[in-house]
Amino acid sequence: MVIFIVSTTGQGDTPDSMKVFWRFLLQKNLGPMWLERVHYAVFGLGDSGYQKYNFTAKKLDKRLADLGARLIIEKGLGDDQHPSGYEGALDPWLSNLWTILKQSRPSFFRHGLEVLNPAVRTLDHPKFRIIYHDEEEAQSLVSSTSDLKSLKLQIGRARAMSPGLSCHDDDGPQCVLHMTKNRHLTKMGCGRDVRHFELEALSSVIEYQLGDVVEILPGQNPDAVDAFLRRCNLNPDAFITVEPNGSERCVGSTRIFDRTPVHLRNFVELTMDVASASPRRYFFEVMSFFATAEHEKEKLQYFGSPEGRDDLYLYNQKERRTVLEVLEDFPSVHMPFEWLVQLIPPLKTRAFSISSSPSAHPNQVHLTVSIVSWMTPFKRKRSGLCSSWLAGLDPKKGVRIPAWFKRGSLPPPPSSLPLILIGPGTGCAPFRAFVEDRAIQRNSWPIAPTLFFFGCRNETSDFLYRDFWLSHTNTSGVLSEEMGGGFFVAFSRDQPQKVYVQHKMREESERVWALLTTGAAVYIAGSSTKMPADVFSCMEEIVAKESGLSREMAARWLRKLEKDGRYYVDTWS
């Protein structure tokens, strides 16, 4: 019996740790009864805001069945859009799974299902241990220089030790940037704050392609870090290493844990999200074992149980309560640092589409960032950690920004490829880079036509990069009609009825179809909510109308376009 817990990454892709296994399962020599003695269950971790919701779990479930494996229970699909996150689907699915397994394999549960009750569980050992080092000995191993190489090493060592971080962080950031420009793109007081940031490398040369993303490690509020250290009675000046207990390691990699000690404060600051992310339910369950006040213990046990899930949601997720706030709400709890390291959400890098062309801006990277903030039901203001941190940086102060460059979901198009670009809001970011690049290419050789459909709320308040787009619609510009292109903008709230990018696409259906029939590629970027599905539906209408095909055949035609590498989607939640 095998239980699979699988996530979906990117645009319906398998996670890195599953790629080898998945290729193995796809071998053509595996017969239809190859897994006939295997009983299995699949639970998927997904987000219904994305088109290919839980695609990996669905593919795995079908492939196992095709190879003859027998289903224990219908696949479960966890959804991050659910108020309680994936646990909203996991709790009932697990309950049914345990019941079915108890009936078919009683030997699995010699003491009955009571052992699954948080109130009677025992606490296992933490998966990692903290080793404290002599200060003089540690000082001799740690570089005291403040140069960029030392900074990269410090970040890499701390993040390599963190249980919750991926292996690509082990060597530290690829480069360290500093901000040279922090400019408002939206009108002050309009209800939205979108910024244009320009970043420059401090030493090494920046190398990236069109469509790439940059991952940035945000800085945490020093006061919040200090408050966390005081609350947990931790010595910020201690030197530590974090090592796995037993066989814990980075899945899919031969991760080597650097034994060079790091300052405890630096470790917390660089790896543990103590004042932004909300803890998961298991955090509350473990807290209950260390609560010395009975009323706190009872409340934490309730929060850690399936019955308390809805109340935990109201207290924790809906208010976006932070680890520091939770610990302060339960003062009798004093968790060992080993457990805190294991359970506190890791400080993750944030990925942003690059909105500049490397040809137009050598050794620079431009970003188009919406500054995230909202009010909780109890009227407490919350802010996105990375976007707010970037917005608060003063270019004159030269703050160091650790960064990694990664391949994006949008491959760089050759100059000969006609383009249909659809990017409402900050989805325009990668297409600003595309247009910049084509403007340079046009000086040396012919470029194919580019249609761009952009959307925002109001012409006067959030028409991002207005002058830039309009300058390229002039005679011989990349988006000019003379060059076979066009720029079409939808202002959703400048009239009684909402107007979105798909409305403008329908108005230009002949031009869209004409480009598609000449081999154009479609690139879509923006919010992962309804937009990608609405745009796909609009494209179906256009293809059906202009070609005379049925809607069903038009949908198949577009799916083939996707399969042939001419329909790309890059979305974020």
Side-chain angles (χ1 to χ4, degrees):
M1 290 193 172
V2 187
I3 300 170
F4 295 92
I5 312 293
V6 301
S7 64
T8 295
T9 63
Q11 302 301 319
D13 303 321
T14 57
D16 288 343
S17 58
M18 182 180 167
K19 281 183 166 53
V20 173
F21 170 65
W22 182 241
R23 284 197 297 271
F24 179 80
L25 280 187
L26 293 180
Q27 292 177 103
K28 292 181 180 178
N29 63 334
L30 304 182
M33 300 307 292
W34 187 66
L35 294 178
E36 63 178 327
R37 296 182 65 185
V38 172
H39 295 72
Y40 77 96
V42 173
F43 186 86
L45 303 170
D47 186 325
S48 60
Y50 289 85
Q51 273 187 301
K52 295 187 175 180
Y53 166 57
N54 262 314
F55 198 57
T56 303
K58 294 170 183 175
K59 285 194 302 184
L60 176 62
D61 179 60
K62 184 178 187 305
R63 183 57 178 160
L64 292 171
D66 289 346
L67 293 174
R70 301 179 186 184
L71 195 65
I72 300 171
I73 184 176
E74 199 64 37
K75 66 180 173 292
L77 300 178
D79 185 4
D80 269 351
Q81 296 292 327
H82 187 280
S84 298
Y86 68 81
E87 290 170 338
L90 180 63
D91 284 339
W93 185 85
L94 273 181
S95 179
N96 291 335
L97 175 66
W98 301 141
T99 301
I100 292 169
L101 287 178
K102 186 175 184 296
Q103 291 171 351
S104 60
R105 296 287 192 277
S107 60
F108 287 178
F109 304 93
R110 293 198 177 96
H111 303 288
L113 293 179
E114 269 302 299
V115 294
L116 301 175
N117 183 345
V120 297
R121 283 187 204 165
T122 57
L123 186 63
D124 201 355
H125 296 292
K127 295 179 180 179
F128 289 77
R129 65 180 183 269
I130 312 296
I131 299 174
Y132 291 84
H133 296 267
D134 175 80
E135 186 173 343
E136 285 188 17
E137 176 194 347
Q139 286 282 13
S140 67
L141 297 172
V142 178
S143 172
S144 59
T145 59
S146 58
D147 60 7
L148 294 178
K149 185 176 181 181
S150 175
L151 175 65
K152 289 181 182 180
L153 282 172
Q154 183 184 57
I155 293 171
R157 284 167 180 161
R159 293 178 70 78
M161 292 181 196
S162 173
L165 293 170
S166 61
C167 300
H168 78 68
D169 288 345
D170 289 11
D171 296 327
Q174 290 172 353
C175 67
V176 178
L177 308 173
H178 73 105
M179 187 178 290
T180 58
K181 189 171 287 189
N182 181 345
R183 176 166 66 89
H184 285 271
L185 292 176
T186 48
K187 188 177 179 181
M188 298 290 284
C190 75
R192 299 186 71 214
D193 183 2
V194 180
R195 305 284 183 100
H196 172 80
F197 299 123
E198 294 185 10
L199 311 174
E200 219 168 63
L202 284 171
S203 59
S204 57
V205 176
I206 296 177
E207 294 183 2
Y208 64 90
Q209 294 182 347
L210 293 180
D212 283 358
V213 299
V214 60
E215 294 184 1
I216 286 174
L217 180 65
Q220 298 197 75
N221 184 328
D223 294 338
V225 173
D226 289 339
F228 170 79
L229 295 170
R230 287 194 301 272
R231 168 62 183 83
C232 299
N233 298 320
L234 297 170
N235 176 10
D237 298 321
F239 283 92
I240 64 165
T241 51
V242 181
E243 296 185 357
N245 271 328
S247 60
E248 291 302 319
R249 61 184 182 90
C250 182
V251 178
S253 168
T254 56
R255 186 172 189 173
I256 299 171
F257 286 79
D258 190 335
R259 294 177 182 272
T260 304
V262 296
H263 263 117
L264 188 148
R265 191 188 195 286
N266 288 345
F267 180 82
V268 171
E269 196 171 35
L270 294 169
T271 71
M272 299 170 70
D273 196 339
V274 298
S276 171
S278 296
R280 290 286 191 180
R281 187 172 70 186
Y282 186 52
F283 186 83
F284 293 87
E285 185 179 329
V286 173
M287 279 181 72
S288 70
F289 287 94
F290 297 100
T292 55
E294 195 57 36
H295 68 285
E296 291 183 13
K297 181 182 285 287
E298 289 176 4
K299 189 170 185 179
L300 289 165
Q301 286 177 340
Y302 174 66
F303 277 163
S305 69
E307 295 75 27
R309 188 185 69 227
D310 292 340
D311 286 331
L312 178 61
Y313 165 71
L314 294 174
Y315 166 80
N316 188 43
Q317 293 99 313
K318 199 168 186 181
E319 280 297 301
R320 193 63 181 268
R321 216 171 289 265
T322 68
V323 168
L324 178 58
E325 289 171 334
V326 169
L327 290 170
E328 288 175 340
D329 281 351
F330 295 90
S332 81
V333 175
H334 293 283
M335 296 172 69
F337 193 41
E338 288 83 353
W339 277 110
L340 293 169
V341 166
Q342 180 177 323
L343 296 179
I344 289 177
L347 182 66
K348 295 180 180 178
T349 56
R350 270 62 167 179
F352 298 98
S353 294
I354 297 174
S355 54
S356 56
S357 158
S359 301
H361 305 281
N363 217 38
Q364 278 194 353
V365 56
H366 297 183
L367 305 179
T368 309
V369 179
S370 179
I371 312 306
V372 180
S373 66
W374 71 97
M375 296 295 288
T376 72
F378 290 134
K379 306 300 179 187
R380 301 193 302 174
K381 187 175 181 181
R382 296 299 196 201
S383 303
L385 175 61
C386 194
S387 64
S388 297
W389 178 68
L390 287 171
L393 294 182
D394 182 349
K396 294 177 183 176
K397 293 185 177 178
V399 175
R400 294 172 173 185
I401 303 170
W404 293 256
F405 289 90
K406 304 294 174 189
R407 290 276 92 86
S409 303
L410 305 177
S415 59
S416 58
L417 179 67
L419 295 177
I420 300 170
L421 310 176
I422 302 142
T426 55
C428 72
F431 304 142
R432 178 178 181 267
F434 285 15
V435 172
E436 271 192 339
D437 209 63
R438 290 209 157 182
I440 292 175
Q441 292 172 345
R442 185 194 57 193
N443 297 326
S444 304
W445 53 77
I447 59 168
T450 304
L451 292 182
F452 179 36
F453 295 91
F454 173 67
C456 58
R457 294 181 182 180
N458 308 104
E459 185 174 7
T460 58
S461 61
D462 63 346
F463 191 167
L464 310 181
Y465 299 115
R466 177 184 183 277
D467 294 341
F468 174 84
W469 305 123
L470 296 182
S471 71
H472 287 286
T473 62
N474 294 333
T475 305
S476 299
V478 174
L479 300 175
S480 66
E481 290 193 25
E482 181 187 1
M483 299 292 291
F487 174 64
F488 310 96
V489 57
F491 303 110
S492 63
R493 301 188 182 182
D494 275 353
Q495 59 284 312
Q497 287 189 326
K498 300 283 178 67
V499 176
Y500 298 115
V501 286
Q502 53 266 35
H503 293 102
K504 294 295 179 180
M505 291 169 63
R506 290 189 188 98
E507 290 175 9
E508 303 297 329
S509 64
E510 287 185 19
R511 300 183 67 175
V512 170
W513 177 243
L515 271 194
L516 285 174
T517 55
T518 59
V522 179
Y523 283 70
I524 302 165
S527 169
S528 65
T529 50
K530 289 181 62 183
M531 186 273 293
D534 289 345
V535 167
F536 188 86
S537 178
C538 177
M539 291 292 288
E540 275 183 27
E541 287 180 42
I542 290 171
V543 172
K545 174 188 172 185
E546 301 297 335
S547 69
L549 295 171
S550 67
R551 281 294 289 267
E552 184 182 350
M553 291 300 293
R556 287 184 185 175
W557 191 88
L558 286 171
R559 292 299 181 201
K560 187 175 187 306
L561 205 69
E562 187 177 23
K563 188 176 180 181
D564 292 343
R566 289 175 52 206
Y567 193 101
Y568 300 100
V569 181
D570 182 25
T571 58
W572 50 85
S573 52

